[in-house]
């Protein structure tokens, strides 16, 4: 049985949670392998809406084991807030497993994240201020704190003291902020340690043993390809690897065991935070997409920047990730438009680019080259097959598929779990 990666193919918020949940009943493990509580998934089951930030969306599927992998950075307070919130609504969270090697977000990194972003001013990245970036920086600088450190108070205190030797100087002398004490930080980190202990294990071993037993493992990305720290629109990116390669490093599953890569794309494009966005709309059309699509961040509540579908980005994501199948979400949001533009290439200073420009400056100045497809007026939320879609909606799906570099296997026609057109079975 396969290991499957679900990857955002734009700038995030494409609907990965719904796609993961769609597959959830047919998989045994769902793994979050990157990021932290800086992104969210919204899953609608019947009349119930669940906003997940740190927990894998497989937590909502009975019998499925949700896993927080080693590539995630964990805010323990947020983790238990989410667990408590779900349990209060009758969701069983006892199967959750957390990697002993995942890094923990300490209080000083949350402070550092916020003051750094304010200090940058017009050069700000657009982070959520939750300490994600500084914690990944600590990981690379080898001064990070891992989940396993919480179970050895002496080691934990030594690591916190070593990190604060530097952090306190930065906070005080550059940002005029007082750093928390070693004792204060250790006490905060230990608050939930014993409650956390039963969830913690060697998740890489757990997942490889599951694959040995022919069980199916689903790896779900936080953020998306264009926010990947290596392959995204740097420096306006997240601090982790959000691509299919990151699925392996962030979970402990080797590349040879990854059978399928599912890329999630909206029928239009959105972005939160700063950075270039060629198809962004600053007019009534953009506001229509934002309002109709409820484009406000699950985690931050920030209004998302909106634009038309960008096939150049989709082709790039297909190539970087090795996408085998696309899931096209929110097609219903385009209902009612007389015609629908699709970006097929960029014009940069009079030169046409059919692929992503090699340097960031060109991408920043890229002007979209559009093709216009006929719109449709019919309500499509009840469609469950391609034949149920209006002719113009089918034309749109076919055109986007041909432009994007991989087949479209499912189409979202509404926010609910069952409001999906399945073209090809994904598992």
């Amino acid at each position: 049985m396969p290991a499957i990666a679900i990857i955002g193919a734009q700038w995030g918020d494409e609907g990965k949670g719904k796609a993961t949940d769609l597959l959830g009943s047919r998989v045994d493990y769902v793994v979050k392998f990157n990021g932290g509580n800086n992104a969210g998934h919204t899953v609608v089951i019947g009349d119930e809406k669940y906003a997940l930030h740190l927990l894998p969306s497989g937590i909502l599927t009975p019998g499925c084991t949700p896993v927080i992998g080693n590539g995630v950075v964990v805010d323990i307070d947020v983790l238990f807030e989410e667990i408590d919130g779900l349990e209060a609504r009758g969701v069983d969270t006892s199967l959750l497993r957390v990697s002993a090697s995942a890094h923990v977000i300490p209080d000083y990194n949350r402070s550092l994240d916020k003051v750094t972003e304010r200090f940058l001013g017009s050069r700000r990245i657009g982070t959520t201020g939750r300490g994600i970036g500084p914690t990944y920086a600590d990981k690379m600088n080898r001064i990070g704190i891992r989940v396993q450190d919480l179970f050895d108070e002496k080691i934990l205190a030594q690591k916190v003291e070593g990190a604060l030797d530097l952090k306190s100087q930065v906070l005080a002398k550059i940002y005029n902020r007082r750093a928390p004490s070693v004792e204060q930080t250790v006490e905060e980190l230990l608050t939930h340690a014993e409650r956390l202990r039963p969830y913690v294990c060697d998740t890489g071993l757990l997942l490889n043993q599951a694959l040995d037993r022919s069980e199916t493992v689903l790896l779900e990305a936080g953020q998306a390809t264009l926010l990947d720290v290596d392959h995204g629109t740097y420096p306006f990116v997240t601090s982790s690897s959000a691509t299919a390669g990151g699925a392996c490093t962030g979970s402990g599953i080797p590349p040879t065991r990854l059978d399928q890569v599912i890329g999630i794309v909206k029928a239009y494009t959105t972005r939160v935070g700063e950075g270039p966005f060629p198809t962004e709309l600053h007019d009534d059309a953009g506001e229509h997409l934002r309002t109709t699509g409820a484009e406000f961040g699950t985690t931050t509540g920030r209004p998302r920047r909106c634009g038309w579908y960008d096939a150049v980005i989709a082709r790039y994501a297909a190539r970087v990730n090795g996408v085998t199948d696309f899931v096209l979400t929110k097609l219903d949001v385009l209902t009612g438009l007389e015609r629908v533009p699709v970006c097929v290439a960029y014009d940069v200073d009079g030169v046409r680019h059919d692929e992503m420009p090699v340097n960031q400056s060109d991408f920043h100045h890229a002007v979209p080259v559009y093709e216009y497809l006929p719109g449709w007026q019919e309500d499509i939320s009840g469609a469950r097959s391609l034949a149920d879609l209006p002719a113009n909606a089918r034309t749109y799906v076919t055109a986007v598929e041909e432009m994007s570099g991989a087949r479209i296997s499912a189409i979202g026609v509404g926010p609910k779990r069952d409001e999906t057109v399945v073209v090809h079975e994904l598992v």
Side-chain angles (χ1 to χ4, degrees), residues 365-427:
H365 294 101
V367 176
V369 177
Y370 286 118
E371 287 187 8
Y372 294 88
L373 299 170
W376 59 93
Q377 306 301 314
E378 301 91 332
D379 178 11
I380 64 172
S381 62
R384 297 296 179 268
S385 69
L386 277 177
D388 295 336
L389 292 174
N392 286 350
R394 291 199 302 273
T395 297
Y396 184 83
V397 171
T398 300
V400 164
E401 181 179 61
E402 290 175 352
M403 296 172 189
S404 300
R407 70 182 188 177
I408 291 175
S409 293
I411 305 160
V413 293
K416 295 182 180 178
R417 172 186 271 181
D418 61 343
E419 291 178 334
T420 306
V421 170
V422 178
V423 184
H424 307 285
E425 289 294 333
L426 292 172
V427 178

Side-chain angles (χ1 to χ4, degrees), residues 185-424:
T185 300
V186 169
E187 182 180 352
E188 179 183 305
L189 290 171
L190 290 176
T191 301
H192 300 298
E194 288 310 308
R195 186 181 177 191
L196 182 64
R197 190 188 291 271
Y199 295 106
V200 177
C201 69
D202 181 346
T203 53
L205 176 63
L206 176 76
L207 296 171
N208 277 281
Q209 288 177 336
L211 291 169
D212 290 341
R213 294 192 300 268
S214 296
E215 294 177 316
T216 301
V217 174
L218 188 66
L219 302 135
E220 82 175 346
Q223 291 84 39
T225 300
L226 273 294
L227 293 175
D228 183 272
V229 69
D230 287 295
H231 302 291
T233 49
Y234 190 89
F236 303 100
V237 293
T238 194
S239 301
S240 61
S241 297
T243 51
C248 296
T249 57
S251 67
I253 291 176
T256 51
R257 306 201 80 160
L258 194 61
D259 296 85
Q260 191 175 13
V261 178
I262 300 170
I264 315 301
V265 286
K266 275 180 185 166
Y268 50 101
T269 311
T270 62
R271 176 167 198 171
V272 172
E274 307 300 317
F277 182 177
T279 68
E280 183 174 11
L281 298 165
H282 300 281
D283 56 12
D284 290 344
E287 188 57 40
H288 170 78
L289 292 176
R290 184 178 301 110
T291 303
T292 308
E295 295 297 350
F296 299 89
T298 304
T299 296
T300 63
R302 288 184 291 183
R304 295 173 185 144
R305 301 158 64 189
C306 296
W308 300 119
Y309 188 86
D310 190 329
V312 182
I313 284 175
R315 287 195 295 272
Y316 176 73
R319 170 166 57 85
V320 168
N321 293 291
V323 170
T324 57
D325 303 83
F326 276 121
V327 173
L328 183 72
T329 62
K330 290 197 168 184
L331 184 65
D332 53 300
V333 174
L334 300 182
T335 298
L337 300 175
E338 290 187 12
R339 62 176 189 169
V340 187
V342 175
C343 173
V344 297
Y346 302 138
D347 182 289
V348 181
D349 296 328
V351 177
R352 180 182 173 111
H353 291 252
D354 291 296
E355 301 292 342
M356 284 282 285
V358 70
N359 67 63
Q360 185 75 4
S361 295
D362 285 347
F363 185 68
H364 187 81
H365 294 101
V367 176
V369 177
Y370 286 118
E371 287 187 8
Y372 294 88
L373 299 170
W376 59 93
Q377 306 301 314
E378 301 91 332
D379 178 11
I380 64 172
S381 62
R384 297 296 179 268
S385 69
L386 277 177
D388 295 336
L389 292 174
N392 286 350
R394 291 199 302 273
T395 297
Y396 184 83
V397 171
T398 300
V400 164
E401 181 179 61
E402 290 175 352
M403 296 172 189
S404 300
R407 70 182 188 177
I408 291 175
S409 293
I411 305 160
V413 293
K416 295 182 180 178
R417 172 186 271 181
D418 61 343
E419 291 178 334
T420 306
V421 170
V422 178
V423 184
H424 307 285

Side-chain angles (χ1 to χ4, degrees), residues 68-70 72-76 79 98-105 144-152 156 159 189-190 193 196-197 199-201:
I68 293 177
N70 57 277
V72 177
V73 293
V74 181
D75 186 316
I76 303 174
L79 176 65
V98 179
S99 172
S101 297
H103 280 245
V104 174
I105 301 174
I145 296 164
R146 299 195 292 178
V147 166
Q148 58 190 272
D149 297 328
L150 303 185
F151 309 122
D152 188 326
L156 176 62
K159 289 194 170 187
L189 290 171
L190 290 176
L196 182 64
R197 190 188 291 271
Y199 295 106
V200 177
C201 69

Side-chain angles (χ1 to χ4, degrees), residues 128-141:
T128 58
R130 286 163 166 78
I132 309 296
T135 301
Y136 275 115
D138 285 357
K139 178 178 179 177
M140 295 306 173
N141 287 327

Side-chain angles (χ1 to χ4, degrees), residues 4-163:
I4 303 165
I6 286 188
I7 304 295
Q10 294 159 319
W11 278 287
D13 307 308
E14 300 94 347
K16 296 183 292 294
K18 180 179 181 181
T20 303
D21 187 62
L22 181 67
L23 294 166
S25 61
R26 284 170 282 172
V27 301
D28 302 291
Y29 292 79
V30 175
V31 185
K32 181 180 176 72
F33 64 82
N34 76 302
N37 57 308
N38 55 335
H41 294 321
T42 300
V43 178
V44 181
I45 303 175
D47 295 327
E48 295 288 321
K49 180 182 288 189
Y50 299 87
L52 305 174
H53 307 279
L54 189 53
L55 293 169
S57 51
I59 196 109
L60 299 173
T61 302
C64 180
T65 299
V67 176
I68 293 177
N70 57 277
V72 177
V73 293
V74 181
D75 186 316
I76 303 174
D77 288 335
V78 171
L79 176 65
F80 282 111
E81 283 174 13
E82 286 198 36
I83 287 174
D84 290 342
L86 289 178
E87 289 184 343
R89 297 173 70 178
V91 177
D92 179 17
T93 63
S94 62
L95 292 179
L96 174 69
R97 294 295 176 263
V98 179
S99 172
S101 297
H103 280 245
V104 174
I105 301 174
D107 50 0
Y108 49 77
N109 278 345
R110 289 191 291 271
S111 299
L112 193 59
D113 199 4
K114 292 173 183 174
V115 297
T116 301
E117 189 74 351
R118 287 198 294 269
F119 182 79
L120 287 171
S122 62
R123 294 176 290 111
R124 65 190 180 275
I125 304 300
T127 77
T128 58
R130 286 163 166 78
I132 309 296
T135 301
Y136 275 115
D138 285 357
K139 178 178 179 177
M140 295 306 173
N141 287 327
R142 291 157 294 185
I143 57 170
I145 296 164
R146 299 195 292 178
V147 166
Q148 58 190 272
D149 297 328
L150 303 185
F151 309 122
D152 188 326
E153 187 171 347
K154 183 178 179 181
I155 290 293
L156 176 62
Q158 289 175 356
K159 289 194 170 187
V160 170
E161 185 176 14

